[in-house]
Amino acid sequence: MFVFVCGGCGAELTTPLSRVALPAHAHQKYGNGIQLPVLMEPGTFAEDPEPWGPPWRRWQEIHPDEAAARGIYAPVYALSDGAPGSIVIAPGDARGTVLIPERAGGYCCGLDGADGPNMACAVCDLPVASRIDDCSLWQAVWLAPNAVRRLIVGRADSASPTWAELLEEEEPTPPFEPIGTWGSRRGPNHFWSWSPRWEAAIGRALAHLLAASQGQPVAVPDGLCKEVFQRALDALLPAGPPARRAVLAGPGQPSADADIVLVPTHPQTGQTWIPAGPAASAYPVPLPFGVWLELAFPKPYPPVPASGGMPDGVLRDDPPAPRPRSLFRADPGAFQHTLVRLPAVRGPWLRGIPENLTQYMRAGLF
């Protein structure tokens, strides 16, 4: 367990926290006027290894060699010149901080951190963090890495759960969820939609699938997997019979020979499951564990509600969640963020996709 303290005076700024992997949707901007929940689970923190936040530099100001040295292989609108290693926590886990009123500008329905750190240490007034709670952004507090220090408290964390333990303990991430508009209560301002978590996770995975395609058509497994991937793959890759096959692989899944494997990432360590056997040489496409779990082990629903009591071994008669009316669209921000960081984006079959992303969004792929 760790606590974060002010780099100036040493005052404690957080409750004791344990480390987890950075969520795929950490920097997602979802829709317009949407009320998103808290990004992090209480008592946890994650670290972003890349620079985040202001100041920003436009792509025209950056030499290609500098961008490549930072792992960026295709043009983006701007790159952050902030310090790498930002720490994200749940707002309720912050302690000993006060808001900085003059840095609360540039928002719509709340704070967006566009003016730099908007929270200061209550003891010495050093700017230490950015509170984010604007519409269409995940609610979070981002600690500035150059203004805080990390201290170990208590005993060391126990070993991370094994893959087998995760299968028993973790819950799948539902692909659909109710979305609320800003300031709404229960009622007509809530609607069922594809999960923002899924849109970000699939956006990241789609970029890897395109990189693994080698410019050839790709086929994914039937069912929900095909629903969220295949339409975009068919539109972004050449037409023709599938030349490369992607399969689900991971704990509890039989080993299969394939060109590409969709594998889970560990929710605490962020490590990607490593295939063995026939799939050892396949290209691994990472998925958050909860999303992968839903794809790998979908739960069946009864065709009609059951009547009477619920004997042992009988499925519950709760109806499935309402399905959204729209086709699935991967998150364009997560897709672009991942794709431009893959060296394969310089290949002829991918080079034009980031440049034409706006057109693909208008066509309904993202």
Side-chain angles (χ1 to χ4, degrees), residues 81-96:
D81 269 350
S86 296
I87 304 296
V88 62
I89 66 174
D93 287 332
R95 296 290 186 271

Side-chain angles (χ1 to χ4, degrees), residues 2 4 16 19 169 173 232 244 246 271 330:
F2 301 87
F4 291 87
R19 183 169 183 170
E169 300 169 0
T173 303
R244 294 178 67 79
Q271 295 179 341

Side-chain angles (χ1 to χ4, degrees), residues 110-284:
L111 304 172
D112 66 0
D115 295 330
N118 56 27
M119 299 174 67
C121 171
V123 176
C124 69
D125 293 330
L126 177 71
V128 292
S130 295
R131 170 68 186 263
I132 308 295
D133 57 16
D134 201 2
C135 59
S136 299
L137 300 176
W138 291 87
Q139 299 180 46
V141 167
W142 289 84
L143 302 175
N146 52 3
V148 300
R149 292 184 289 113
R150 183 186 315 180
L151 301 179
I152 298 177
V153 294
R155 294 182 298 178
D157 288 340
S158 58
S160 299
T162 65
W163 292 109
E165 291 171 338
L166 289 173
L167 280 180
E168 295 292 331
E169 300 169 0
E170 291 293 310
E171 292 292 328
T173 303
F176 322 121
E177 63 180 80
I179 302 294
T181 56
W182 185 256
S184 66
R185 299 175 181 271
R186 288 185 179 180
N189 289 330
H190 280 75
F191 61 94
W192 279 90
S193 171
W194 290 97
S195 167
R197 297 173 178 85
W198 271 70
E199 294 187 12
I202 299 303
R204 184 178 68 175
L206 179 61
H208 282 281
L209 277 170
L210 293 175
S213 72
Q214 298 180 0
Q216 304 175 68
V218 172
V220 298
D222 291 334
L224 184 58
C225 200
K226 185 178 288 290
E227 188 172 3
V228 298
F229 282 119
Q230 199 66 60
R231 188 169 69 98
L233 289 172
D234 291 345
L236 298 173
L237 292 172
R244 294 178 67 79
R245 185 169 67 99
V247 301
L248 287 159
Q253 290 285 302
S255 181
D257 187 13
D259 306 296
I260 306 166
V261 286
L262 302 165
V263 296
T265 56
H266 198 288
Q268 290 188 8
T269 66
Q271 295 179 341
T272 300
W273 187 83
I274 301 175
S281 60
Y283 185 112

